[in-house]
Amino acid sequence: MEKILFGITSLTLGGAERVLVDLANELSKKYEVTIFTIYANGELEKQLNNKIKVKNHKKCSYAELTALQKYLIPLKILFLQKSIYKKYIKENYKAEIAFLEGPITRLFSTTNKNTKKIAWVHNDISKVFGTGVKAKLKQKLDKMIYEKYDSLVFVSKDNLASFDKIYDTNKNQTKQVIYNYINAENIIKKAEEKIEENWEDDKIHFVSVARLVKQKGIERLIKVHKKLIQEGLDHKFHIIGTGVEKEKLEKLIKENRLEESFELLGKRENPYPYIKKADYFCLFSEFEGYGMVIEEAKILNKPILITDTAAREAVQNYENSKISQNSENGIYTVLKEVITSKENQKQKENLKPYQNQEIICEIIKMLER
């Protein structure tokens, strides 16, 4: 059985991380799969089947690091990538796949003529690093990094187009769009689990699953929610996820006395019962790569509301969706429309078979080229 290696920052609760777990479990039927992480103890590690090996650069989670370590480790990987690579990547693999932008892509770019080098791009590369001098330096550095890969995989057509505008990379590279692989049966099964929270049946409930970072637009969503509440439009938001903006968002919610109607639920290893129970699933991001969680909401047959980002590809053939302008006013308009709608908000269960086995076929074809 041939060996393949995936690399990712960690297997914490996140979209790309959940995709990798499902993908690795499926590919382990054909390959000997190893996952290398920079940080250990990710919540999703336990969802890997026992055939998959896991290697870690650090034996602790990112959350366990000191502020100084969080600053120094990425720099160490950048400047000592060859020595770190040689220390941990000792076996010969058919392919080495950097599954996320940033440090792991820089580390896996280390030259090795005996393996196929593949980098996965999950985000809008023109926006993920922000602006300013630091962002420009990262772009120049990463242009050289991405040129070292044989193949680049993008999770959306928009991501590929955005990448090409920023980086004029090696023309001999293979570039292709492969949508995220998801184990639909697993999601439907997990959605049956009971949740402790009691939700009032007379209110419209919106659920979002997102890291609490600026990209996900939670701060502007709170502002829109406050305006709608002040207009007497009763509804509740439930946000699943955590991140660096948690304290800032909690303070904003408290200052505006929205504790009863805008709820930060924190981490949930299984978000699917919440998505299933919601009247609407929302992802009002400032920018997106594709929005894997949208696919999960589709599997659970949820009405979906999103902003106009690359995530539009995820709902292009999904009738039960609305795309708002990517602004506070755009979000306000679409939310007001659905809250005041006289249509029946409670959706009937009608789970349709979700087939994406062809994605596995595409990935295997790429690996075998």
Side-chain angles (χ1 to χ4, degrees):
M1 189 176 280
E2 293 181 300
K3 299 177 180 180
I4 59 173
L5 175 69
F6 284 98
I8 196 164
T9 309
S10 66
L11 285 173
T12 52
L13 300 172
E17 292 81 359
R18 293 204 303 275
V19 171
L20 178 54
V21 168
D22 280 353
L23 183 57
N25 284 337
E26 187 67 21
L27 289 176
S28 68
K29 297 173 183 177
K30 181 176 175 62
Y31 302 100
E32 186 177 314
V33 178
T34 300
I35 297 178
F36 174 84
T37 69
I38 296 174
Y39 310 108
N41 302 332
E43 296 91 341
L44 297 178
E45 286 186 19
K46 61 188 175 185
Q47 294 184 19
L48 294 167
N49 68 50
N50 55 19
K51 292 191 291 184
I52 296 171
K53 298 177 184 177
V54 178
K55 294 182 178 181
N56 314 112
H57 173 47
K58 294 296 179 183
K59 299 301 179 183
C60 61
S61 69
Y62 183 78
E64 295 174 272
L65 299 176
T66 64
L68 181 61
Q69 287 174 317
K70 289 176 182 179
Y71 176 76
L72 290 178
I73 290 172
L75 290 177
K76 180 181 176 182
I77 291 171
L78 175 60
F79 292 110
L80 301 175
Q81 66 182 58
K82 288 184 180 179
S83 61
I84 295 172
Y85 177 88
K86 289 178 180 178
K87 179 179 178 180
Y88 292 97
I89 317 301
K90 296 178 180 179
E91 298 180 61
N92 292 319
Y93 296 95
K94 181 180 181 68
E96 295 172 1
I97 306 162
F99 204 68
L100 199 62
E101 306 88 338
I104 200 69
T105 298
R106 294 166 195 145
L107 178 63
F108 272 33
S109 72
T110 303
T111 302
N112 183 345
K113 295 180 180 179
N114 299 317
T115 187
K116 182 189 290 288
K117 294 279 188 174
I118 302 169
W120 231 272
V121 180
H122 289 265
N123 236 316
D124 184 336
I125 210 74
S126 69
K127 296 177 181 176
V128 69
F129 292 130
T131 58
V133 175
K134 188 176 180 181
K136 295 295 182 185
L137 289 173
K138 283 184 177 180
Q139 284 182 4
K140 287 186 177 180
L141 169 66
D142 283 355
K143 180 181 186 298
M144 295 185 289
I145 293 298
Y146 281 114
E147 284 179 343
K148 296 179 181 181
Y149 282 88
D150 303 304
S151 298
L152 302 179
V153 178
F154 301 85
V155 299
S156 74
K157 295 173 184 176
D158 271 18
N159 280 8
L160 173 54
S162 176
F163 185 94
D164 280 342
K165 286 181 181 178
I166 300 297
Y167 301 130
D168 182 20
T169 53
N170 182 356
K171 296 297 187 292
N172 294 321
Q173 284 178 320
T174 300
K175 294 180 185 176
Q176 65 186 111
V177 174
I178 299 180
Y179 294 124
N180 288 324
Y181 173 77
I182 302 170
N183 186 324
E185 290 182 5
N186 195 32
I187 288 171
I188 292 170
K189 181 180 178 181
K190 286 183 175 181
E192 295 300 320
E193 290 184 14
K194 302 297 182 185
I195 61 176
E196 296 178 0
E197 290 87 353
N198 292 317
W199 293 1
E200 305 95 323
D201 290 336
D202 61 338
K203 291 185 179 179
I204 298 174
H205 294 268
F206 299 91
V207 163
S208 186
V209 181
R211 287 176 292 116
L212 303 184
V213 295
K214 187 177 186 302
Q215 172 192 346
K216 300 301 180 179
I218 306 299
E219 182 176 354
R220 68 178 178 180
L221 181 57
I222 292 171
K223 295 175 182 177
V224 170
H225 170 71
K226 178 186 177 182
K227 184 176 180 181
L228 291 166
I229 290 293
Q230 288 176 331
E231 293 177 7
L233 299 176
D234 201 11
H235 63 287
K236 286 196 75 169
F237 267 96
H238 311 271
I239 311 296
I240 296 172
T242 190
V244 295
E245 291 208 328
K246 180 183 176 182
E247 290 184 8
K248 174 183 176 182
L249 297 174
E250 286 177 336
K251 183 179 179 182
L252 185 61
I253 291 167
K254 188 173 182 179
E255 286 175 348
N256 288 283
R257 300 179 180 178
L258 298 171
E259 296 96 328
E260 296 299 316
S261 57
F262 201 102
E263 185 177 28
L264 300 182
L265 292 172
K267 286 184 179 180
R268 292 291 186 275
E269 288 191 34
N270 180 10
Y272 307 119
Y274 297 89
I275 297 174
K276 183 182 178 182
K277 192 171 183 179
D279 298 302
Y280 290 89
F281 176 80
C282 306
L283 194 65
F284 291 126
S285 304
E286 294 182 7
F287 64 93
E288 272 297 336
Y290 181 81
M292 185 274 291
V293 70
I294 295 173
E295 291 292 331
E296 296 171 333
K298 285 161 62 178
I299 290 168
L300 297 174
N301 201 37
K302 287 289 105 178
I304 295 170
L305 309 175
I306 65 169
T307 38
D308 190 10
T309 65
R312 74 180 75 84
E313 286 183 48
V315 298
Q316 60 187 352
N317 296 314
Y318 190 71
E319 292 183 5
N320 207 359
S321 63
K322 293 181 184 292
I323 302 175
S324 78
Q325 291 181 357
N326 199 346
S327 63
E328 281 188 31
N329 188 58
I331 296 168
Y332 167 81
T333 300
V334 77
L335 283 174
K336 185 170 184 177
E337 179 184 337
V338 300
I339 293 169
T340 57
S341 172
K342 294 182 180 179
E343 297 174 5
N344 180 19
Q345 306 291 350
K346 305 295 180 183
Q347 303 296 314
K348 295 180 180 179
E349 275 192 18
N350 182 25
L351 301 183
K352 300 175 183 177
Y354 183 92
Q355 300 294 333
N356 61 2
Q357 194 62 31
E358 69 276 4
I359 293 173
I360 295 296
C361 295
E362 283 187 69
I363 293 169
I364 291 174
K365 184 178 178 181
M366 175 182 64
L367 292 171
E368 298 296 329
R369 270 200 297 265

